[in-house]
Amino acid sequence: MHGGGDTDSLDQAAKDFLAVRPQLFGIVYRVLGSAAEAEDIVQDVWLRWQKTDRAEIIEPSAFLTTITTRLAINFAQSARVRRETYVGPWLPEPVSTVADPHLGAERAEAMEMAVLLLLEKLNPVERAAYVLREAFEYPYRRIAEVLETTEANTRQLVSRARKHLTAQRKEPVSPADHRRLLEVFMDAARNGNLKVLEQLLAKDVVSYSDGGGVRGASKIPVVGRTHVSRYLVAFAPLFWPGTELRWTEANGRPAVLVSTADGAVALLSLDVSADGIERIMWVMNPAKLSPYAASLEG
């Protein structure tokens, strides 16, 4: 709690804001799956915070979190319409989690690409409730205040989100096993080794290529072990020659950045369970890929 003089100070306002900025970004990013959109909303929150009568605010962090979450929900509701016209499969915008493994959260939950992809199927309020509870460990009473609903309804929102994720995603493997399978997959994919690919892929594997209509990515997901493995074999001689690989991390999991002399062309990440590779995710849209590649350069 601050005295009136401190609260009216722009310096104090900046300190209060910067103290929770990573958390604000982490909330919006998880709700929207877009780092660029999250940055825009966080900047909007800062502008609103400067214009707020801060003398009346007892808990700046609670106030800022509430404003941020509500803006994210509003934006997500309009974004849903835009994504219905998105060219080809939509994937979350990748972020590097090397410096901040939890990306501003108490726990590194709702961060993996596959989880963000599944959260997109929920309505924005369910998404926000799940994120605040699972990643930031907010009590249900506090989440209810943010969402302007009852605590009982908040519990239902989080429960529905959990059930959706559990139904749609199998338990992931350990980071070490994930890295090992990614290495084997990369070798088989680059060499067009059909037999090995068929051994690695889960029966209902799905390959998503997010080109945003800009690159020559598949405009529909490729589904099933047979179709995906044959697709990767046919794809190999057209895509891999002349590329360089950089082993990296995206959204808390191992990933591979694929580049040519002209720059980054794809970020490859996998979702892996004990049954094999469940999802193959190729981020090829330059609007999503370029910021991620730039972040690796510091």
Side-chain angles (χ1 to χ4, degrees):
M1 182 182 295
H2 307 290
D6 283 342
T7 308
D8 286 335
S9 162
L10 191 59
D11 287 343
Q12 185 62 52
K15 290 178 182 177
D16 289 335
F17 178 79
L18 292 174
V20 294
R21 191 187 189 285
Q23 176 177 311
L24 303 183
F25 179 86
I27 291 170
V28 186
Y29 174 71
R30 286 168 170 84
V31 172
L32 300 179
S34 169
E37 292 168 353
E39 287 288 359
D40 288 344
I41 288 180
V42 171
Q43 181 62 25
D44 187 9
V45 172
W46 165 238
L47 295 175
R48 291 175 184 234
W49 179 233
Q50 292 179 72
K51 299 174 183 178
T52 297
D53 181 3
R54 297 183 297 277
E56 302 298 319
I57 307 300
I58 297 176
E59 296 183 51
S61 62
F63 177 85
L64 290 166
T65 298
T66 298
I67 295 298
T68 300
T69 304
R70 291 176 184 174
L71 286 175
I73 290 171
N74 291 339
F75 194 94
Q77 290 168 339
S78 61
R80 181 182 289 266
V81 176
R82 293 196 304 277
R83 286 172 188 172
E84 287 175 353
T85 61
Y86 193 81
V87 179
W90 177 90
L91 289 173
E93 180 183 348
V95 291
S96 173
T97 43
V98 174
D100 181 2
H102 293 180
L103 202 67
E106 295 294 328
R107 304 169 59 216
E109 296 297 317
M111 270 300 302
E112 294 179 38
M113 293 283 284
V115 174
L116 293 175
L117 180 61
L118 292 174
L119 285 178
E120 181 72 10
K121 304 300 181 183
L122 300 174
N123 72 56
V125 177
E126 289 173 333
R127 224 179 299 166
Y130 179 84
V131 165
L132 291 174
R133 180 63 184 173
E134 296 300 316
F136 295 88
E137 298 187 320
Y138 270 46
Y140 286 107
R141 175 188 55 77
R142 177 73 185 99
I143 300 172
E145 293 171 354
V146 171
L147 301 180
E148 296 182 296
T149 186
T150 65
E151 184 173 335
N153 188 48
T154 298
R155 290 180 181 275
Q156 291 178 348
L157 291 170
V158 175
S159 177
R160 284 201 297 268
R162 285 174 178 159
K163 288 177 181 177
H164 171 76
L165 291 175
T166 301
Q168 297 295 319
R169 188 180 187 224
K170 298 173 184 175
E171 184 70 23
V173 298
S174 69
D177 286 342
H178 189 118
R179 171 67 185 239
R180 180 181 60 80
L181 281 168
L182 179 56
E183 291 174 347
V184 176
F185 172 82
M186 285 299 302
D187 183 68
R190 294 176 71 198
N191 291 296
N193 191 324
L194 181 63
K195 183 177 180 180
V196 173
L197 287 170
E198 288 178 336
Q199 292 173 344
L200 294 174
L201 303 180
K203 180 181 178 181
D204 298 324
V205 62
V206 184
S207 176
Y208 301 92
S209 301
D210 181 342
V214 178
R215 298 191 185 272
S218 174
K219 293 183 179 180
I220 59 172
V222 183
V223 181
R225 179 186 292 143
T226 299
H227 288 140
V228 172
S229 58
R230 290 178 179 175
Y231 168 77
L232 291 169
V233 169
F235 187 63
L238 303 174
F239 181 74
W240 296 109
T243 61
E244 294 184 358
L245 307 182
R246 178 173 178 174
W247 291 86
T248 181
E249 180 183 289
N251 297 66
R253 284 285 179 169
V256 176
L257 184 66
V258 184
S259 302
T260 66
D262 295 325
V265 294
L267 180 75
L268 171 65
S269 58
L270 305 177
D271 185 29
V272 185
S273 77
D275 292 338
I277 297 170
E278 304 283 351
R279 293 173 181 84
I280 306 170
M281 294 162 285
W282 309 82
V283 176
M284 305 175 77
N285 184 340
K288 299 179 180 182
L289 188 59
S290 296
Y292 175 82
S295 73
L296 298 182
E297 305 305 325

